[in-house]
Short mmCIF file of all heavy atoms in Angstrom, two decimals:
data_model
loop_
_atom_site.label_atom_id
_atom_site.label_comp_id
_atom_site.label_asym_id
_atom_site.label_seq_id
_atom_site.Cartn_x
_atom_site.Cartn_y
_atom_site.Cartn_z
N PHE A 325 -3.60 -11.44 -19.13
CA PHE A 325 -2.62 -11.20 -20.18
C PHE A 325 -2.17 -9.74 -20.14
O PHE A 325 -3.01 -8.82 -20.01
CB PHE A 325 -3.21 -11.50 -21.56
CG PHE A 325 -3.48 -12.96 -21.79
CD1 PHE A 325 -4.79 -13.44 -21.83
CD2 PHE A 325 -2.45 -13.87 -21.97
CE1 PHE A 325 -5.05 -14.78 -22.05
CE2 PHE A 325 -2.70 -15.21 -22.19
CZ PHE A 325 -4.01 -15.67 -22.23
N VAL A 326 -0.88 -9.52 -20.23
CA VAL A 326 -0.33 -8.17 -20.23
C VAL A 326 0.63 -8.00 -21.40
O VAL A 326 1.12 -8.98 -21.98
CB VAL A 326 0.41 -7.85 -18.91
CG1 VAL A 326 -0.56 -7.85 -17.73
CG2 VAL A 326 1.56 -8.84 -18.66
N LEU A 327 0.89 -6.74 -21.73
CA LEU A 327 1.85 -6.39 -22.76
C LEU A 327 3.10 -5.82 -22.08
O LEU A 327 3.14 -4.65 -21.71
CB LEU A 327 1.26 -5.33 -23.70
CG LEU A 327 0.01 -5.73 -24.50
CD1 LEU A 327 -0.56 -4.51 -25.23
CD2 LEU A 327 0.35 -6.84 -25.50
N PRO A 328 4.13 -6.64 -21.85
CA PRO A 328 5.35 -6.11 -21.25
C PRO A 328 5.93 -4.99 -22.12
O PRO A 328 5.84 -5.03 -23.35
CB PRO A 328 6.29 -7.32 -21.21
CG PRO A 328 5.38 -8.51 -21.27
CD PRO A 328 4.23 -8.08 -22.12
N ARG A 329 6.49 -4.00 -21.46
CA ARG A 329 7.02 -2.84 -22.19
C ARG A 329 8.07 -3.26 -23.20
O ARG A 329 8.94 -4.07 -22.92
CB ARG A 329 7.65 -1.86 -21.20
CG ARG A 329 8.38 -0.70 -21.86
CD ARG A 329 9.09 0.17 -20.85
NE ARG A 329 9.94 1.14 -21.51
CZ ARG A 329 11.21 0.93 -21.83
NH1 ARG A 329 11.79 -0.23 -21.54
NH2 ARG A 329 11.91 1.86 -22.44
N GLN A 330 7.95 -2.71 -24.39
CA GLN A 330 8.94 -2.91 -25.44
C GLN A 330 9.45 -1.55 -25.91
O GLN A 330 8.68 -0.60 -26.03
CB GLN A 330 8.36 -3.69 -26.61
CG GLN A 330 7.99 -5.12 -26.25
CD GLN A 330 7.56 -5.93 -27.45
OE1 GLN A 330 7.45 -5.40 -28.55
NE2 GLN A 330 7.31 -7.21 -27.24
N GLU A 331 10.75 -1.48 -26.14
CA GLU A 331 11.35 -0.21 -26.53
C GLU A 331 10.83 0.29 -27.87
O GLU A 331 10.51 1.46 -28.04
CB GLU A 331 12.88 -0.37 -26.61
CG GLU A 331 13.60 0.93 -26.89
CD GLU A 331 14.53 1.34 -25.76
OE1 GLU A 331 14.56 0.69 -24.72
OE2 GLU A 331 15.20 2.33 -25.97
N ARG A 332 10.72 -0.63 -28.83
CA ARG A 332 10.24 -0.25 -30.17
C ARG A 332 9.20 -1.28 -30.62
O ARG A 332 9.49 -2.14 -31.45
CB ARG A 332 11.39 -0.19 -31.17
CG ARG A 332 12.43 0.86 -30.83
CD ARG A 332 13.56 0.88 -31.86
NE ARG A 332 14.58 1.86 -31.51
CZ ARG A 332 15.58 1.61 -30.69
NH1 ARG A 332 15.70 0.42 -30.12
NH2 ARG A 332 16.48 2.55 -30.41
N PRO A 333 8.00 -1.21 -30.09
CA PRO A 333 6.98 -2.19 -30.46
C PRO A 333 6.62 -2.09 -31.93
O PRO A 333 6.48 -0.99 -32.48
CB PRO A 333 5.80 -1.84 -29.56
CG PRO A 333 6.00 -0.41 -29.19
CD PRO A 333 7.49 -0.22 -29.13
N ASP A 334 6.49 -3.24 -32.56
CA ASP A 334 6.09 -3.30 -33.96
C ASP A 334 4.56 -3.29 -34.03
O ASP A 334 3.89 -4.09 -33.38
CB ASP A 334 6.63 -4.58 -34.60
CG ASP A 334 6.20 -4.73 -36.03
OD1 ASP A 334 6.84 -4.14 -36.91
OD2 ASP A 334 5.20 -5.45 -36.28
N ALA A 335 4.00 -2.39 -34.82
CA ALA A 335 2.55 -2.19 -34.85
C ALA A 335 1.82 -3.47 -35.28
O ALA A 335 0.77 -3.81 -34.71
CB ALA A 335 2.21 -1.04 -35.79
N GLU A 336 2.35 -4.19 -36.26
CA GLU A 336 1.66 -5.38 -36.73
C GLU A 336 1.72 -6.51 -35.70
O GLU A 336 0.74 -7.23 -35.50
CB GLU A 336 2.28 -5.85 -38.05
CG GLU A 336 1.51 -6.97 -38.73
CD GLU A 336 0.03 -6.64 -38.95
OE1 GLU A 336 -0.29 -5.47 -39.26
OE2 GLU A 336 -0.80 -7.56 -38.79
N ARG A 337 2.86 -6.63 -35.00
CA ARG A 337 2.95 -7.65 -33.96
C ARG A 337 2.02 -7.31 -32.80
O ARG A 337 1.43 -8.21 -32.20
CB ARG A 337 4.40 -7.79 -33.47
CG ARG A 337 5.34 -8.42 -34.47
CD ARG A 337 6.76 -8.48 -33.93
NE ARG A 337 6.89 -9.46 -32.88
CZ ARG A 337 7.12 -10.75 -33.08
NH1 ARG A 337 7.22 -11.22 -34.31
NH2 ARG A 337 7.26 -11.58 -32.06
N ARG A 338 1.90 -6.04 -32.48
CA ARG A 338 0.98 -5.63 -31.42
C ARG A 338 -0.47 -5.95 -31.81
O ARG A 338 -1.27 -6.37 -30.98
CB ARG A 338 1.14 -4.14 -31.11
CG ARG A 338 2.24 -3.85 -30.10
CD ARG A 338 1.81 -4.37 -28.73
NE ARG A 338 2.90 -4.53 -27.80
CZ ARG A 338 3.33 -3.57 -26.98
NH1 ARG A 338 2.77 -2.38 -27.01
NH2 ARG A 338 4.33 -3.81 -26.14
N ARG A 339 -0.77 -5.74 -33.06
CA ARG A 339 -2.12 -6.08 -33.52
C ARG A 339 -2.36 -7.59 -33.37
O ARG A 339 -3.42 -8.02 -32.89
CB ARG A 339 -2.29 -5.66 -34.98
CG ARG A 339 -3.68 -5.99 -35.56
CD ARG A 339 -3.81 -5.53 -37.00
NE ARG A 339 -5.10 -5.91 -37.53
CZ ARG A 339 -6.23 -5.23 -37.35
NH1 ARG A 339 -6.20 -4.11 -36.65
NH2 ARG A 339 -7.36 -5.64 -37.87
N GLU A 340 -1.36 -8.38 -33.74
CA GLU A 340 -1.48 -9.82 -33.60
C GLU A 340 -1.59 -10.24 -32.13
O GLU A 340 -2.31 -11.18 -31.80
CB GLU A 340 -0.28 -10.53 -34.25
CG GLU A 340 -0.39 -10.70 -35.75
CD GLU A 340 -1.55 -11.62 -36.14
OE1 GLU A 340 -1.37 -12.85 -36.15
OE2 GLU A 340 -2.65 -11.09 -36.42
N ALA A 341 -0.88 -9.52 -31.27
CA ALA A 341 -0.97 -9.81 -29.83
C ALA A 341 -2.39 -9.59 -29.33
O ALA A 341 -2.92 -10.38 -28.53
CB ALA A 341 0.01 -8.95 -29.06
N HIS A 342 -3.04 -8.52 -29.78
CA HIS A 342 -4.42 -8.24 -29.39
C HIS A 342 -5.35 -9.33 -29.92
O HIS A 342 -6.25 -9.81 -29.21
CB HIS A 342 -4.86 -6.87 -29.90
CG HIS A 342 -4.34 -5.72 -29.11
ND1 HIS A 342 -3.01 -5.37 -29.06
CD2 HIS A 342 -4.99 -4.82 -28.31
CE1 HIS A 342 -2.87 -4.30 -28.28
NE2 HIS A 342 -4.04 -3.96 -27.82
N ARG A 343 -5.15 -9.73 -31.18
CA ARG A 343 -5.99 -10.77 -31.77
C ARG A 343 -5.79 -12.10 -31.05
O ARG A 343 -6.75 -12.84 -30.80
CB ARG A 343 -5.69 -10.90 -33.26
CG ARG A 343 -6.64 -11.83 -34.01
CD ARG A 343 -6.45 -11.73 -35.52
NE ARG A 343 -5.23 -12.37 -35.96
CZ ARG A 343 -5.13 -13.66 -36.32
NH1 ARG A 343 -6.21 -14.45 -36.25
NH2 ARG A 343 -4.01 -14.17 -36.73
N TYR A 344 -4.55 -12.39 -30.70
CA TYR A 344 -4.23 -13.64 -30.00
C TYR A 344 -4.92 -13.71 -28.64
O TYR A 344 -5.55 -14.70 -28.30
CB TYR A 344 -2.71 -13.74 -29.84
CG TYR A 344 -2.25 -14.83 -28.90
CD1 TYR A 344 -2.28 -16.16 -29.29
CD2 TYR A 344 -1.79 -14.52 -27.62
CE1 TYR A 344 -1.85 -17.17 -28.42
CE2 TYR A 344 -1.36 -15.51 -26.75
CZ TYR A 344 -1.40 -16.84 -27.16
OH TYR A 344 -0.98 -17.82 -26.30
N VAL A 345 -4.81 -12.65 -27.86
CA VAL A 345 -5.41 -12.65 -26.52
C VAL A 345 -6.93 -12.73 -26.62
O VAL A 345 -7.58 -13.46 -25.84
CB VAL A 345 -4.95 -11.43 -25.73
CG1 VAL A 345 -5.78 -11.23 -24.47
CG2 VAL A 345 -3.48 -11.56 -25.37
N ALA A 346 -7.52 -12.01 -27.55
CA ALA A 346 -8.97 -12.11 -27.74
C ALA A 346 -9.37 -13.54 -28.07
O ALA A 346 -10.37 -14.07 -27.55
CB ALA A 346 -9.42 -11.15 -28.84
N SER A 347 -8.60 -14.20 -28.91
CA SER A 347 -8.90 -15.58 -29.28
C SER A 347 -8.76 -16.52 -28.09
O SER A 347 -9.57 -17.44 -27.90
CB SER A 347 -7.98 -16.04 -30.42
OG SER A 347 -8.14 -15.24 -31.57
N MET A 348 -7.74 -16.30 -27.27
CA MET A 348 -7.49 -17.18 -26.12
C MET A 348 -8.60 -17.08 -25.09
O MET A 348 -9.08 -18.09 -24.57
CB MET A 348 -6.15 -16.84 -25.50
CG MET A 348 -4.95 -17.24 -26.35
SD MET A 348 -4.72 -19.03 -26.47
CE MET A 348 -3.95 -19.37 -24.88
N ILE A 349 -9.03 -15.87 -24.75
CA ILE A 349 -10.06 -15.77 -23.72
C ILE A 349 -11.41 -16.26 -24.22
O ILE A 349 -12.22 -16.77 -23.44
CB ILE A 349 -10.16 -14.34 -23.14
CG1 ILE A 349 -10.65 -13.35 -24.18
CG2 ILE A 349 -8.84 -13.89 -22.54
CD1 ILE A 349 -10.96 -11.99 -23.58
N LYS A 350 -11.64 -16.18 -25.52
CA LYS A 350 -12.88 -16.74 -26.07
C LYS A 350 -12.87 -18.26 -26.03
O LYS A 350 -13.93 -18.89 -26.04
CB LYS A 350 -13.07 -16.26 -27.51
CG LYS A 350 -13.42 -14.78 -27.64
CD LYS A 350 -13.56 -14.40 -29.10
CE LYS A 350 -13.93 -12.95 -29.29
NZ LYS A 350 -14.04 -12.58 -30.72
N ASP A 351 -11.68 -18.84 -25.97
CA ASP A 351 -11.54 -20.30 -25.94
C ASP A 351 -11.36 -20.83 -24.53
O ASP A 351 -10.92 -21.96 -24.33
CB ASP A 351 -10.33 -20.70 -26.80
CG ASP A 351 -10.35 -22.16 -27.20
OD1 ASP A 351 -11.41 -22.64 -27.66
OD2 ASP A 351 -9.31 -22.84 -27.05
N SER A 352 -11.71 -20.02 -23.51
CA SER A 352 -11.36 -20.37 -22.14
C SER A 352 -12.30 -21.39 -21.49
O SER A 352 -12.14 -21.71 -20.32
CB SER A 352 -11.28 -19.11 -21.26
OG SER A 352 -12.47 -18.36 -21.30
N LEU A 353 -13.25 -21.93 -22.23
CA LEU A 353 -14.02 -23.06 -21.70
C LEU A 353 -13.06 -24.22 -21.43
O LEU A 353 -13.23 -24.96 -20.45
CB LEU A 353 -15.11 -23.48 -22.68
CG LEU A 353 -16.01 -24.63 -22.22
CD1 LEU A 353 -16.77 -24.27 -20.95
CD2 LEU A 353 -16.99 -25.03 -23.32
N THR A 354 -12.05 -24.36 -22.26
CA THR A 354 -11.01 -25.37 -22.03
C THR A 354 -10.31 -25.12 -20.70
O THR A 354 -10.08 -26.04 -19.91
CB THR A 354 -9.98 -25.34 -23.17
OG1 THR A 354 -10.64 -25.66 -24.41
CG2 THR A 354 -8.86 -26.34 -22.93
N TRP A 355 -10.00 -23.86 -20.44
CA TRP A 355 -9.29 -23.47 -19.22
C TRP A 355 -10.14 -23.77 -17.98
O TRP A 355 -9.60 -24.08 -16.91
CB TRP A 355 -8.95 -21.99 -19.30
CG TRP A 355 -7.99 -21.46 -18.30
CD1 TRP A 355 -8.24 -20.49 -17.36
CD2 TRP A 355 -6.62 -21.83 -18.12
NE1 TRP A 355 -7.11 -20.23 -16.63
CE2 TRP A 355 -6.09 -21.04 -17.07
CE3 TRP A 355 -5.79 -22.75 -18.75
CZ2 TRP A 355 -4.78 -21.16 -16.64
CZ3 TRP A 355 -4.47 -22.86 -18.33
CH2 TRP A 355 -4.00 -22.07 -17.28
N ALA A 356 -11.45 -23.69 -18.12
CA ALA A 356 -12.34 -23.96 -16.99
C ALA A 356 -12.26 -25.40 -16.53
O ALA A 356 -12.66 -25.72 -15.41
CB ALA A 356 -13.78 -23.61 -17.37
N GLY A 357 -11.72 -26.28 -17.36
CA GLY A 357 -11.60 -27.67 -16.97
C GLY A 357 -10.74 -27.87 -15.74
O GLY A 357 -10.91 -28.84 -15.00
#
Side-chain angles (χ1 to χ4, degrees):
F325 292 109
V326 295
L327 297 172
R329 173 185 171 271
Q330 294 186 355
E331 185 117 355
R332 298 180 182 86
D334 178 82
E336 188 55 37
R337 289 178 71 85
R338 274 291 162 89
R339 179 179 177 82
E340 278 295 275
H342 282 67
R343 187 170 74 90
Y344 168 75
V345 167
S347 300
M348 289 291 282
I349 66 171
K350 289 178 179 179
D351 198 47
S352 56
L353 182 61
T354 298
W355 192 242

